[in-house]
Amino acid sequence: MNKTLKNTTIAGIIAAIFLIPQTILEFLRSANKLTGNLLPLYIVVLIIALGTYIYFIWGFKIIGDKTKNKLLTKSSYFLIIATILFYAVSFVIQDSSTLTQAIFGGSVLVLFGAISIPFGIGILKLKKEFGAIATAVGVLNIITGVSLITIILIFIGLLLLIPLIVLEIILMFKAAERFK
């Protein structure tokens, strides 16, 4: 088993677990209820979520390199850069107006949607190596990306994130087994 890809799989599991407290804390932040001891907790959760998610996506970059899938490699880089920018700007606009935060939120969804489409196409190119799981992950990434870009269908995109993350973790685990 490829140790690095195994570790990126573990990072993906941790990132998925941290989505729950991160989402709750984000709702508290948006309602201006993130005070006292919750603020340091929020920062720690965001740092862990950011680090583990980036490392998880780095695993897809490694898979792209190993399979000579340039689209997957490049879209993984774009996803990592977009994630870092999202977290950085989130801290900067934390005290901004509701309109500013809404515009930022919508822009982020469109950006992540736009990156998810080529990322999904890159994963679809892994069908030869990984079969149906690559097809499922690729198609779900594309559907999620289109849903996020339209903004009207955002709810569908957000609902698809849960099975998408689970399937991405499974795909990463299969890659760790395959690339010894």
Side-chain angles (χ1 to χ4, degrees), residues 133-149:
I133 189 76
T135 302
V137 171
V139 168
L140 276 177
N141 262 292
I142 293 167
I143 293 170
T144 301
V146 170
S147 298
L148 294 178
I149 286 174

Side-chain angles (χ1 to χ4, degrees), residues 117-128:
I117 294 169
F119 186 74
I121 294 168
I123 291 176
L124 278 174
K125 291 181 176 187
L126 298 175
K127 183 179 181 183
K128 184 175 130 190

